[in-house]
Amino acid sequence: MNNHLRELRDQRGWSQGELAERLDVSRQTINALETGRYDPSLPLAFRIARLFERRIEDIFLPDSD
């Protein structure tokens, strides 16, 4: 799954560690999300969307087949 997480984080000037603290996950989880190695659970996707004041579908994009 592709996403805009890195761009949103950079716009706020947050490190991966700072974003991880805000979402109560590890920095490794943020790295895995940003690099597309991990798809978030639905509750985590909602927390991310709420934090950035966006819709989930504005942040996470399905892979094109």
Side-chain angles (χ1 to χ4, degrees), residues 4-54:
H4 297 290
L5 195 53
R6 179 173 288 159
E7 294 89 3
L8 292 169
R9 178 178 59 77
D10 285 344
Q11 288 172 5
R12 303 268 173 121
W14 295 340
S15 68
Q16 287 183 343
E18 289 170 320
L19 179 56
E21 284 182 25
R22 293 171 188 273
L23 294 171
D24 196 29
V25 298
S26 70
R27 188 200 58 77
Q28 291 83 355
T29 297
I30 298 302
N31 182 271
L33 286 167
E34 288 185 354
T35 58
R37 291 177 298 157
Y38 172 72
D39 293 337
S41 65
L42 192 54
L44 178 55
F46 272 109
R47 290 199 323 262
I48 292 168
R50 245 190 324 273
L51 178 64
F52 288 108
E53 299 175 333
R54 306 276 172 118

